[in-house]
Amino acid sequence: MATDKPRQIDLFSFSPALPPVRKPAPRAGRGASARAPETLNEEALAARLEETGRYRVLRKLEPRPVLPNRWPPANRAPGGWPRLGIVLDTETTGLDHAEHEVIELGMVAFTYDEAGVRDVVGVFSALQAPSKPITAEITRITGITDEMVAGQHIDLDAVRRFVEPADLVIAHNARFDRPFCEKLTPGFEVKPWACSVAEVDWVSLGFEGSKLGYLVGQSGYFHNGHRAVDDCHALLQVLCQAPKTAALPAFGQLIASAARTRLRIHALGSPFHTKDVLKARGYRWSDGMGGKPKAWWREVGEDGFEEEVRFLEQDIYGGAMNAHVERLTACERFKA
């Protein structure tokens, strides 16, 4: 009895609609029968797989070319367009900036204007040997070994020169990277910072998470993750992706957020029994280190301040609000 056989796709049989296959000429000294194998059109193969609906193909993420002659423009007025941005990433010996050290710093400088990212104009990448041996866990996470950093150091003067003209520094978790960078060398503390984790609504852009590896994969790429400068190139590419929805693009969201002032509210003297209510609303606990108030705190936009006051007065204090409020621009946000 005849049966239906599974349909197979011949990846080496091209339809007329696909680009032609280039056949290299026979090598000198060989007969016509000894031709080299046909050169496959890789993109056509990938497209054919994707058209079946059963495959998704990831392309290798190739960094944008570096065009140093595009910066600075001769006619740029202070604060005018184009501006200079830096995507930054660090690899460290641990999570605590007060105790641990930077072992790798990567930075990619690029120009941007109202329309978005324009050109990559500089790259910085350096390793540094820490004062203590790198643990096996950190090597597993970063791929960096003691042998790789032996005798290496970060040229801090070069770092300061690289950062000095920047109008904006971007990190994928700036709350982690900024304290380490400020500890490493002066110059970072005066710059506006933006965080591509906290200040981009990735869900509205069609993503289901904010981890960089996931964002890169869902954008259709793969890259050499967990090395600082490679992650910088990857993040810049993701920020430039055209949105899958009508939402403001990721880079546009960062620029808009960096231009806004936020308010950090410390709920001083909040009753102990309200801690779960505060936590559920997004408040975090500050232990008072670094001269900060010892209290639950939260950041809100200026447009959400009145609503937050009503919440504190009605649900926390049962009367007049007792809170300390700080105004934060992009220059103050994400500090230690």
Side-chain angles (χ1 to χ4, degrees):
M1 186 174 76
T3 59
D4 293 332
K5 294 183 179 181
R7 187 165 172 242
Q8 296 182 344
I9 296 175
D10 184 357
L11 295 178
F12 301 94
S13 174
F14 289 87
S15 67
L18 294 175
V21 177
R22 297 192 302 272
K23 297 183 178 181
R27 294 182 181 180
R30 295 190 177 185
S33 60
R35 292 179 179 176
E38 295 180 348
T39 301
L40 300 178
N41 186 316
E42 295 175 346
E43 194 57 38
L45 295 177
R48 176 162 294 189
L49 284 171
E50 291 175 325
E51 287 169 1
T52 69
R54 297 192 298 275
Y55 298 90
R56 291 180 181 176
V57 180
L58 299 183
R59 276 77 172 170
K60 183 178 180 181
L61 192 149
E62 301 291 348
R64 293 181 174 217
V66 182
L67 306 172
N69 61 321
R70 300 289 178 89
W71 182 265
N75 59 349
R76 179 184 185 257
W81 304 103
R83 295 178 182 171
L84 186 70
I86 289 176
V87 174
L88 173 152
D89 186 45
T90 61
E91 301 295 349
T92 68
T93 58
L95 301 177
D96 185 351
H97 72 277
E99 176 184 355
H100 299 117
E101 304 170 65
V102 174
I103 53 177
E104 185 177 29
L105 174 64
M107 297 185 287
V108 173
F110 63 95
T111 58
Y112 67 95
D113 56 21
E114 304 99 318
V117 173
R118 294 175 56 169
D119 302 306
V120 170
V121 294
V123 173
F124 180 95
S125 179
L127 293 165
Q128 178 155 287
S131 59
K132 299 178 182 179
I134 299 173
T135 67
E137 177 64 10
I138 294 301
T139 294
R140 183 188 68 80
I141 295 172
T142 66
I144 299 174
T145 65
D146 286 317
E147 291 73 23
M148 291 170 61
V149 299
Q152 300 286 333
H153 74 281
I154 297 173
D155 184 339
L156 299 183
D157 287 335
V159 172
R160 288 190 287 269
R161 291 194 300 270
F162 196 92
V163 173
E164 194 278 330
D167 295 288
L168 185 66
V169 178
I170 300 170
H172 202 63
N173 192 3
R175 201 172 297 281
F176 174 85
D177 290 293
R178 180 168 187 168
F180 274 101
C181 290
E182 291 186 356
K183 178 185 175 184
L184 182 68
T185 183
F188 287 105
E189 77 284 354
V190 298
K191 292 298 177 182
W193 282 69
C195 178
S196 51
V197 172
E199 297 180 283
V200 175
D201 185 356
W202 293 107
V203 173
S204 73
L205 296 173
F207 295 90
E208 298 174 9
S210 61
K211 288 189 66 173
L212 181 58
Y214 182 80
L215 296 174
V216 171
Q218 202 172 19
S219 296
Y221 298 99
F222 68 92
H223 80 300
N224 178 27
H226 298 301
R227 293 305 305 272
V229 78
D230 294 318
D231 282 350
C232 292
H233 285 296
L235 178 57
L236 186 62
Q237 182 63 39
V238 170
L239 290 173
C240 295
Q241 288 288 106
K244 303 173 185 177
T245 65
L248 186 65
F251 186 72
Q253 291 187 33
L254 278 183
I255 298 303
S257 180
R260 291 193 291 265
T261 297
R262 294 183 64 81
L263 303 173
R264 180 176 293 174
I265 303 172
H266 295 267
L268 301 177
S270 57
F272 179 78
H273 70 270
T274 64
K275 63 181 180 64
D276 291 334
V277 178
L278 289 163
K279 189 174 181 179
R281 193 171 175 87
Y283 280 76
R284 302 178 182 182
W285 176 250
S286 169
D287 59 8
M289 295 292 289
K292 296 181 179 179
K294 188 175 183 179
W296 290 93
W297 65 274
R298 184 191 182 198
E299 288 183 15
V300 299
E302 289 184 302
D303 55 353
F305 179 66
E306 292 184 4
E307 179 184 348
E308 204 62 28
V309 169
R310 285 194 295 270
F311 160 74
L312 290 171
E313 290 180 342
Q314 295 173 11
D315 296 7
I316 303 302
Y317 295 113
M321 182 185 75
N322 179 28
H324 173 70
V325 180
E326 296 177 78
R327 297 180 66 86
L328 303 174
T329 67
C331 290
E332 292 85 34
R333 286 200 287 274
F334 310 115
K335 283 181 174 286

